[in-house]
């Protein structure tokens, strides 16, 4: 059975057979007609589902998208990075490295860019470093692990304590002065957003890859950011949590409690990852205690 062309459509001549027939009632012809019909409907009609975000792409845009998916991502030049005169440079996966800051070595920043690095993440704020990074044409992000106290850093910042413990400390300080306590609790909620936004931004950059993560020497502070923060909050990291300082487990719990739904969405959390967060934290704490107990027994 012949199927004549749909009059309201305009097709190129090479879509027809010699007798000006679009196709026949066989499997191939049916497939062709269904494709055309589906293409036209999805291109012209309104969205049919809340999960649709756009209509069918044009052939040009589709080809561009396919090219971006099939092209292999550029690898960072390992030899160029590892040979830089900066302390403690190490590869950390996902085309990313860690090490000392390059605030006084701007020529190294250019070498980072030439090697393929895109994001420079500083674990303490330095306006000079920020300017140097941006002038080189690299993306700059600060995740300030030091914050107010240069010696104790993020872990002793108010954001890492629970709101209840903070409130208890205020009560011991101000007694029955409810107004003073209220004002400071409101400030606590407001001031917590800065460090949380930095945390979320740090995790997002690590997920993108092509990062250079650095602090003054590229050692303890950098390890804290990668082993605790990134490993705990980055669902793409995939490694088990490991604690070397037990009190930081409570800090992670308190940071978790301050995350909003949008924070989790920005970091690509799934419902399952969220459900597993606190159990994963408890497992890591238990492993730390068991290890510490074994070490203590070995001393006696």
């Amino acid at each position: 059975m012949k199927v004549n062309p749909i009059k309201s459509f305009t097709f190129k001549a090479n879509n027809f057979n010699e007798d000006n027939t679009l196709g026949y009632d066989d499997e191939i012809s049916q497939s062709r007609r269904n494709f055309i019909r589906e293409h036209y409907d999805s291109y012209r009609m309104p969205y049919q589902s809340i999960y649709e975000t756009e209509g069918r792409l044009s052939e040009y845009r589709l080809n561009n998208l396919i090219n971006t998916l099939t092209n292999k991502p550029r690898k960072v030049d390992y030899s160029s990075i590892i040979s830089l005169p900066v302390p403690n440079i190490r590869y950390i996966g996902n085309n990313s490295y860690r090490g000392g800051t390059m605030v006084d070595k701007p020529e190294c920043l250019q070498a980072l860019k030439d090697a393929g690095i895109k994001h420079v993440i500083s674990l303490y704020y330095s306006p000079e470093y920020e300017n140097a990074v941006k002038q080189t044409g690299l993306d700059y992000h600060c995740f300030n692990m030091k914050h107010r106290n240069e010696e104790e850093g993020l872990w002793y910042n108010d954001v890492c304590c629970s709101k209840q413990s903070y409130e208890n400390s205020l009560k011991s300080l101000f007694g029955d002065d409810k107004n003073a306590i209220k004002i400071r609790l409101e400030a606590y909620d407001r001031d917590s957003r800065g460090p949380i936004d930095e945390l979320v931004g740090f995790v997002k950059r690590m997920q993108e890859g092509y990062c250079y993560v650095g602090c003054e020497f590229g050692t303890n502070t950098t390890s804290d950011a990668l082993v605790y923060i990134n490993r705990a909050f980055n669902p793409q990291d995939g490694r088990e949590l490991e604690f070397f300082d037990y009190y930081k487990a409570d800090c992670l719990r308190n940071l978790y409690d301050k995350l909003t739904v949008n924070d989790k969405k920005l970091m690509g959390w799934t419902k399952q990852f969220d459900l597993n967060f606190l159990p994963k934290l408890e497992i890591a704490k238990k492993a730390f205690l068991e290890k510490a107990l074994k070490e203590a027994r070995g001393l006696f």
Side-chain angles (χ1 to χ4, degrees), residues 74-248:
R74 176 185 178 185
K75 289 187 177 181
V76 172
D77 186 349
Y78 174 83
S79 60
S80 296
I81 301 291
I82 207 69
S83 62
L84 292 174
V86 177
N88 302 310
I89 292 182
R90 277 177 268 173
Y91 181 64
I92 54 176
N94 199 20
N95 281 296
S96 298
Y97 292 78
R98 59 174 289 179
T101 182
M102 300 180 181
V103 65
D104 57 343
K105 299 181 178 67
E107 69 280 3
C108 291
L109 289 172
Q110 185 60 53
L112 281 183
K113 182 180 179 182
D114 294 341
I117 292 292
K118 298 178 181 178
H119 310 288
V120 171
I121 303 174
S122 178
L123 300 180
Y124 70 97
Y125 181 64
S126 166
E128 295 82 9
Y129 194 31
E130 179 179 7
N131 291 335
V133 169
K134 291 181 176 179
Q135 287 176 5
T136 308
L138 291 163
D139 171 66
Y140 174 85
H141 176 73
C142 177
F143 178 35
N144 194 349
M145 294 288 288
K146 289 188 174 180
H147 282 276
R148 299 173 186 170
N149 192 316
E150 291 295 315
E151 297 299 325
E152 296 176 336
L154 172 69
W155 307 111
Y156 290 89
N157 189 274
D158 290 340
V159 72
C160 281
C161 72
S162 69
K163 190 170 183 178
Q164 185 60 55
S165 64
Y166 183 74
E167 184 175 356
N168 291 339
S169 66
L170 291 177
K171 289 179 179 178
S172 65
L173 184 63
F174 293 100
D176 296 330
D177 191 345
K178 294 182 180 180
N179 188 52
I181 294 174
K182 179 183 177 182
I183 291 173
R184 283 160 179 80
L185 284 177
E186 291 174 351
Y188 173 82
D189 291 333
R190 182 179 64 250
D191 295 342
S192 293
R193 279 315 308 171
I196 294 298
D197 287 341
E198 288 181 10
L199 184 156
V200 173
F202 171 68
V203 171
K204 287 176 60 182
R205 295 307 189 287
M206 292 302 296
Q207 291 171 343
E208 293 174 17
Y210 301 92
C211 298
Y212 181 82
V213 185
C215 60
E216 188 172 3
F217 299 108
T219 51
N220 295 344
T221 303
T222 315
S223 294
D224 276 3
L226 296 171
V227 174
Y228 293 116
I229 302 297
N230 188 62
R231 195 173 293 186
F233 294 98
N234 185 354
Q236 294 182 11
D237 186 276
R239 290 172 290 182
E240 295 298 322
L241 281 177
E242 184 178 6
F243 289 112
F244 303 99
D245 301 291
Y246 186 76
Y247 73 94
K248 291 176 182 175

Side-chain angles (χ1 to χ4, degrees), residues 263-280:
D263 292 331
K264 296 173 183 178
K265 181 179 179 181
L266 288 172
M267 292 186 288
W269 283 29
T270 62
K271 182 178 180 180
Q272 194 60 47
F273 184 85
D274 197 357
L275 290 173
N276 289 340
F277 187 91
L278 295 180
K280 181 173 64 175

Side-chain angles (χ1 to χ4, degrees), residues 24-35:
Y24 294 86
D25 198 20
D26 54 31
E27 184 177 350
I28 296 177
S29 297
Q30 288 180 17
S31 175
R32 177 190 294 176
R33 291 194 301 276
N34 288 337
F35 175 80

